[in-house]
Amino acid sequence: MIGLLTGVRVIKYEPSPWNWIAIFAIGTAFIFGPITWAIRDRLPKERREQLSYIAGGVALLCVPIVLGLGLIGGRLLFFLDIVVLGSLIGFAVASVIERIIIPEQLRGTTQ
């Protein structure tokens, strides 16, 4: 629902933000794709859990940066829509690729 609402708003923006959305989608797909698969394959479960806490903390620290950039630019909703839609697309692409292409041992399901 969030993706649909954000997509509708993005279509209405006058300077087309699709290049920025693509950048965020590629970045998110790369972070949730190959990096996550490599970590799952090489690190034990306890270490991955610790790293997930660190990654969550870093993500929470990025929220004020995103909000600050949106406020500095004067178009907070525009910037947030770009980040949200790009991230949702990137995460969806990484999830689909994982389910279709990635072998079982890299998915972490055979451990």
Side-chain angles (χ1 to χ4, degrees):
M1 189 67 171
I2 292 172
L4 181 63
L5 178 63
T6 304
V8 168
R9 283 197 310 247
V10 165
I11 290 172
K12 294 179 182 179
Y13 290 135
E14 188 51 40
S16 181
W18 292 106
N19 52 350
W20 285 104
I21 292 170
I23 290 169
F24 277 101
I26 291 168
T28 303
F30 183 71
I31 289 171
F32 283 106
I35 292 174
T36 304
W37 302 325
I39 289 172
R40 256 191 239 148
D41 188 38
R42 291 181 174 84
L43 296 177
K45 186 176 182 178
E46 296 82 26
R47 183 74 175 141
R48 286 193 313 246
E49 185 177 345
Q50 292 172 348
L51 286 175
S52 70
Y53 293 139
I54 293 170
V58 169
L60 286 175
L61 289 174
C62 289
V63 170
I65 294 170
V66 169
L67 291 174
L69 289 173
L71 290 171
I72 288 171
R75 298 178 72 187
L76 179 62
L77 190 59
F78 174 78
F79 192 71
L80 289 175
D81 284 341
I82 290 171
V83 171
V84 167
L85 188 59
S87 298
L88 287 174
I89 291 170
F91 186 72
V93 167
S95 297
V96 167
I97 289 173
E98 181 179 20
R99 300 283 184 231
I100 295 174
I101 298 173
I102 303 301
E104 287 288 323
Q105 68 266 19
L106 288 180
R107 278 194 242 166
T109 56
T110 59
Q111 294 182 3

